[in-house]
Amino acid sequence: MLKGRESLIRLIGKRRTLSGDLSVILSALPPLVRGEKVTAVGDEEEDVASTSLSASYLVHCPVCGTAMRGGDQAINAHLDFCLVKGKKRKLTQSTLFQLKYSPKAKFESNSPSNNTLGFVNQMGPTAVSFIKDSDCQKSENLCVHATYEDQSVGNLCDEKVDALYQDKMPLGSNITTSQELNQLILETLIVGRRFSIEKELRLGTSIILVRDPNNIKDCNAIKVLSADPGCGKVFGYISRDLSKYLSPLIEKFSLSFEGCVTSAPEHIFGPVPIRISCLSPASSNMIDSEVFRSLWANVVHVVESAKTNPTSGKTKYQENLCLLIKEVLQDNRHLFTVDELSFLESFLSLSNDCQRLFIRLYMRKGPWFRLSTMSYVEILNIEEATKELSERGYFRLSSAEVPLDDLKRILNVLAIPDLRFLQNIVDKRKNLSSRKQDIIASLVSSYEGRHPCLPAVLIKKYGVFVTISETAESLFWRAQRLFFLNGEQDLSAFLFADLQIIKYPAYNCITTDKIFRNRSDMLSFEEAVKVAQIMDQSIEENDSITVAQCIKMSELGLSCFSEHAIQSETTFLSLFSASWVYSKVVLLGISFLEKEHRYIDAITLLRRLLSVFTCDSRRGYWTLRLSIDLEHIGRPTESLIVAENGLLDPWIRAGSRLALQRRILRLGKPPRRWKIPSFSMTFKRKLNEVSC
DNA sequence: ACCGCCGGGTGCC
DNA sequence: ACCGCCGGGTGCC
């Protein structure tokens, strides 16, 4: 159905540097509840047989996940229905597409804001509905079937990001006469100075606003020009937030604006404060019109909120992470300990420098950084911030005694000339290999032998090295996952939304269920993700011993959860369970075994999966896999029995094996995520495809 | 990453 | 290493 590796990679997301080895993680696994069952290999077939032979047990459709009881006919009919709906999925996609690009989307903020986040679980166990809130009147329901894990998870979080970008609703500044309109003074900023050629701007310079409809980045762009007629100097732009509302006013109601610079900019590219007012007289018709009033209210609101919000002091990326933490703290208090809550909350009260430095490094690959090479214009005192962050437990600094793993990673930060220099100090006789890894290896070996002072030399010569503390790393990682509901997205998702590289439809989200019921569910899930990551890494490195260990661990994990967790959960929520992750690992393990032609082992594993997930929608696929593996070991008779007599699953009985295979192939490619609606080449190509 | 750019690190064609 | 490639950091019209 899904390629195991790919879906696992998506599940894991950005790889974390795992401290410790497998045994640590293994020992951290929940205690084995029913060990005797796991070690016994021979008795699965009985289990399988006993569950499958009861003719009328509840089965889940592999397409939509609906639970149903019934004979072959009913199941076939349902399958056909579900498969026809494949077209509908496409339709949904293009609907979303249009929604983002319909011209009326310009007025989308005219709606009551409900920033409740989460998801609605209606239309059966796997459906998620997004309620478009662009205009209240024609609010249509977009029902997105979240059948496939990567799709559902991805979309939900995408929307989540976007919800946070929904404008806060204006309190409303009611203009009732033309005079009031003309007297109103808006204080705002010229931005985008970096892109303007005109550097000269003095206090009191007169300016006018001109629409820039051909702007590639933003169709609402408004240029700020010199008021000097014929001069045509472009000083910069009005911020995107404001021009979103201002430009329809200029275009549809022929308003014009002028103003002056109220103070000189601190930096050459910095925003320039200006004061603008509306020149044109407005008819009372216009002022009474709903569209006008709403646009104007938004303009006033944007200007006001820019003034009152402490935006000036905070960079966007700071706001984004703070927002993320606040959201997570609000919705998921039950998942954190008191200490963890206070640690996360303490971040919000850190100084600007500290917050900025932390985020900068948190987003970077690392894990170690050299303090002396870090430089960020927006951070005033990096040394001071580093010190404070390490005192508060966010950072860990290099010391004279660092663990071996850390030493290797620190050495990796250095460039080859620096490493050569160190090598000269430590051991002059060593041959000079040019490969970085060779030099590091030789340095590490001398450190283990005769030069325990290496870290001290390192610090003396190259200054302090910094890494994010384990506490901070794991807590922020958790917060991030809880916010995005996947492992792939990070703070850059905000940026993409900001730059409109990705556009999201407007929607309302209502939370009906918690993703994790309690802390221990979440912790087991995190453990499982760790195992998944090790699995992924070991497959990449072709380390079949570790792969085998991961499979073993996943099996142990599965057996612990088989009783309560697996069967009660709805399809969507089950994606956030350890058992789901473990099942993915095991399935990937099966592919690995198949690749190594170890079919007997593969079959054993598959049978175990089938015995644990007795009601899982993936059973059909697993069964097919099993029958193929049986064929590989030269037992076609048994494979035929498995496939056609439905020994394992009623879904198999629903059609001939060939038909099933075709179906799985057709289902095999779940629709990609929503196409990236940007103005990039990719997007243009996609548009062509759509129109063709 | 789903973009696009820039600049540093690195290697032995 | 005057080159060419790869991959990390970054963006905020």
Side-chain angles (χ1 to χ4, degrees):
Chain A
M1 194 179 294
L2 276 176
K3 287 202 178 119
R5 187 73 188 279
E6 196 189 321
S7 79
L8 200 72
I9 288 170
R10 289 193 171 192
L11 185 80
I12 299 163
K14 189 180 145 195
R15 274 189 197 168
R16 308 167 66 198
T17 43
L18 295 176
S19 57
D21 54 2
L22 280 176
S23 60
V24 175
I25 288 163
L26 183 61
S27 66
L29 274 172
L32 192 54
V33 187
R34 300 165 61 112
E36 69 284 356
K37 197 178 173 182
V38 178
T39 41
V41 180
D43 57 4
E44 272 89 21
E45 279 182 65
E46 290 169 32
D47 281 5
V48 168
S50 63
T51 47
S52 61
L53 287 180
S54 56
S56 60
Y57 80 92
L58 222 54
V59 292
H60 291 260
C61 169
V63 186
C64 69
T66 309
M68 57 187 297
R69 211 181 289 272
D72 297 348
Q73 265 195 326
I75 291 171
N76 259 338
H78 175 83
L79 252 184
D80 286 340
F81 176 70
C82 265
L83 289 169
V84 170
K85 277 201 300 197
K87 281 179 193 166
K88 206 171 182 179
R89 267 204 301 264
K90 258 188 180 167
L91 248 172
T92 320
Q93 187 162 341
S94 71
T95 314
L96 273 174
F97 220 36
Q98 289 151 6
L99 183 120
K100 290 169 195 165
Y101 278 90
S102 69
K104 67 176 179 183
K106 279 180 191 168
F107 302 101
E108 70 191 345
S109 49
N110 178 17
S111 62
S113 159
N114 179 357
N115 281 346
T116 323
L117 296 172
F119 59 95
V120 180
N121 239 352
Q122 62 182 50
M123 295 209 35
T126 57
V128 179
S129 87
F130 302 115
I131 299 148
K132 176 195 164 203
D133 68 358
S134 11
D135 27 6
C136 317
Q137 299 256 309
K138 299 182 262 178
S139 133
E140 44 187 294
N141 286 352
L142 295 171
C143 292
V144 180
H145 283 267
T147 311
Y148 296 98
E149 73 271 70
D150 44 355
Q151 194 193 349
S152 56
V153 179
N155 289 335
L156 274 176
C157 54
D158 287 352
E159 262 95 46
K160 205 164 182 176
V161 172
D162 198 57
L164 298 166
Y165 276 83
Q166 298 294 305
D167 300 82
K168 310 271 183 299
M169 271 312 105
L171 302 167
S173 160
N174 284 329
I175 300 284
T176 46
T177 67
S178 177
Q179 203 183 6
E180 272 178 49
L181 176 73
N182 293 349
Q183 278 170 358
L184 206 87
I185 290 168
L186 301 172
E187 285 176 25
T188 182
L189 301 165
I190 308 180
V191 297
R193 294 279 295 143
R194 190 179 298 273
F195 307 93
S196 119
I197 314 149
E198 288 308 322
K199 301 302 174 212
E200 258 186 68
L201 255 184
R202 266 179 250 102
L203 188 68
T205 307
S206 296
I207 48 152
I208 50 167
L209 304 191
V210 177
R211 275 283 286 124
D212 183 13
N214 299 326
N215 195 302
I216 308 165
K217 292 278 179 179
D218 182 2
C219 56
N220 290 317
I222 296 174
K223 284 191 282 198
V224 181
L225 300 187
S226 164
D228 197 2
C231 152
K233 286 179 179 172
V234 180
F235 290 134
Y237 290 82
I238 292 296
S239 79
R240 182 192 291 275
D241 297 334
L242 187 55
S243 48
K244 182 171 157 191
Y245 306 109
L246 218 46
S247 62
L249 280 172
I250 292 175
E251 268 184 3
K252 295 207 188 326
F253 300 98
S254 320
L255 297 187
S256 60
F257 292 87
E258 66 160 21
C260 62
V261 176
T262 52
S263 74
E266 294 163 35
H267 290 285
I268 185 161
F269 294 141
V272 183
I274 51 168
R275 194 171 283 166
I276 51 170
S277 58
C278 180
L279 277 182
S280 350
S283 67
S284 58
N285 272 0
M286 187 197 293
I287 289 175
D288 286 341
S289 100
E290 195 57 44
V291 179
F292 180 88
R293 294 169 72 89
S294 120
L295 282 171
W296 191 257
N298 275 313
V299 166
V300 172
H301 175 255
V302 170
V303 169
E304 286 306 312
S305 68
K307 243 190 284 177
T308 52
N309 281 356
T311 318
S312 48
K314 290 200 172 194
T315 56
K316 252 187 187 153
Y317 66 79
Q318 250 177 300
E319 287 187 336
N320 293 339
L321 183 64
C322 291
L323 188 72
L324 186 150
I325 292 172
K326 279 182 203 154
E327 276 299 322
V328 169
L329 285 176
Q330 193 184 316
D331 292 349
N332 301 286
R333 293 198 85 86
H334 64 297
L335 299 179
F336 293 92
T337 65
V338 180
D339 285 352
E340 288 170 348
L341 286 175
S342 71
F343 188 85
L344 280 175
E345 271 158 4
S346 77
F347 182 81
L348 301 174
S349 57
L350 286 178
S351 71
N352 272 343
D353 267 12
C354 287
Q355 287 187 352
R356 289 171 188 178
L357 186 62
F358 180 82
I359 301 168
R360 285 285 191 177
L361 295 196
Y362 179 72
M363 293 295 293
R364 283 176 58 174
K365 199 187 175 197
W368 284 91
F369 306 95
R370 198 171 141 188
L371 180 62
S372 57
T373 57
M374 287 191 289
S375 127
Y376 294 104
V377 280
E378 78 278 14
I379 301 175
L380 302 172
N381 190 337
I382 291 191
E383 283 79 14
E384 202 54 45
T386 308
K387 206 173 139 223
E388 195 184 333
L389 283 166
S390 93
E391 277 162 9
R392 287 167 172 264
Y394 289 90
F395 279 178
R396 187 158 61 89
L397 305 183
S398 60
S399 66
E401 289 163 24
V402 288
L404 200 64
D405 277 357
D406 285 330
L407 182 68
K408 279 185 203 164
R409 288 180 185 136
I410 291 175
L411 287 174
N412 255 304
V413 177
L414 295 174
I416 285 200
D418 298 333
L419 291 172
R420 285 240 173 84
F421 175 84
L422 283 175
Q423 203 178 22
N424 267 330
I425 293 177
V426 171
D427 195 340
K428 281 201 159 85
R429 296 163 307 145
K430 284 273 166 68
N431 60 333
L432 294 176
S433 166
S434 68
R435 287 174 178 269
K436 188 172 179 176
Q437 293 311 317
D438 294 347
I439 305 177
I440 290 175
S442 99
L443 276 170
V444 167
S445 71
S446 16
Y447 167 68
E448 284 178 302
R450 290 165 294 119
H451 286 275
C453 59
L454 184 63
V457 176
L458 199 68
I459 293 168
K460 199 175 171 201
K461 170 86 180 162
Y462 300 106
V464 180
F465 292 80
V466 187
T467 190
I468 297 199
S469 75
E470 254 171 67
T471 322
E473 172 77 34
S474 69
L475 274 181
F476 281 87
W477 180 85
R478 183 179 297 164
Q480 190 179 298
R481 281 197 85 106
L482 284 170
F483 182 85
F484 289 110
L485 298 184
N486 67 30
E488 305 172 83
Q489 283 176 306
D490 53 30
L491 293 179
S492 60
F494 285 101
L495 184 71
F496 285 136
D498 240 12
L499 295 178
Q500 298 197 10
I501 289 170
I502 310 164
K503 286 190 183 181
Y504 300 108
Y507 73 105
N508 260 344
C509 239
I510 301 141
T511 308
T512 53
D513 290 288
K514 298 277 185 207
I515 295 295
F516 295 106
R517 282 167 308 175
N518 53 47
R519 184 176 166 84
S520 75
D521 277 6
M522 177 186 66
L523 291 182
S524 351
F525 175 76
E526 286 185 4
E527 281 306 317
V529 173
K530 276 186 198 168
V531 174
Q533 183 184 324
I534 297 171
M535 178 75 171
D536 176 48
Q537 235 157 330
S538 336
I539 285 184
E540 193 174 286
E541 292 156 11
N542 235 331
D543 177 356
S544 50
I545 295 167
T546 319
V547 167
Q549 270 179 296
C550 289
I551 295 172
K552 194 77 206 159
M553 279 195 279
S554 304
E555 282 187 82
L556 294 181
L558 276 180
S559 67
C560 292
F561 296 102
S562 58
E563 291 307 313
H564 52 97
I566 296 170
Q567 308 183 5
S568 55
E569 284 165 19
T570 59
T571 306
F572 177 72
L573 281 180
S574 73
L575 302 188
F576 300 94
S577 64
S579 55
W580 173 270
V581 180
Y582 284 132
S583 77
K584 286 265 162 204
V585 176
V586 168
L587 199 65
L588 192 57
I590 291 164
S591 318
F592 188 83
L593 294 172
E594 283 168 343
K595 216 171 276 172
E596 295 202 330
H597 305 287
R598 290 161 59 186
Y599 294 107
I600 306 275
D601 295 338
I603 287 166
T604 315
L605 261 184
L606 258 172
R607 289 208 157 131
R608 190 164 299 157
L609 263 187
L610 280 160
S611 75
V612 174
F613 290 86
T614 46
C615 296
D616 198 279
S617 58
R618 295 166 291 172
R619 282 177 68 88
Y621 170 66
W622 294 341
T623 314
L624 180 76
R625 210 56 193 257
L626 181 57
S627 70
I628 291 169
D629 280 340
L630 283 169
E631 254 174 31
H632 272 294
I633 59 166
R635 288 160 77 181
T637 325
E638 193 183 343
S639 78
L640 221 63
I641 293 169
V642 168
E644 288 185 354
N645 291 349
L647 180 66
L648 297 168
D649 198 306
W651 287 112
I652 305 297
R653 254 187 324 216
S656 75
R657 186 175 138 196
L658 203 66
L660 179 77
Q661 198 164 11
R662 254 206 312 265
R663 275 181 182 157
I664 286 170
L665 284 179
R666 275 167 67 190
L667 295 176
K669 286 195 177 168
R672 301 284 304 172
R673 292 154 149 237
W674 313 125
K675 299 284 185 283
I676 311 149
S678 73
F679 292 99
S680 68
M681 286 309 291
T682 326
F683 174 52
K684 279 177 192 155
R685 208 162 53 233
K686 296 289 178 203
L687 265 190
N688 287 340
E689 278 171 25
V690 172
S691 53
C692 285

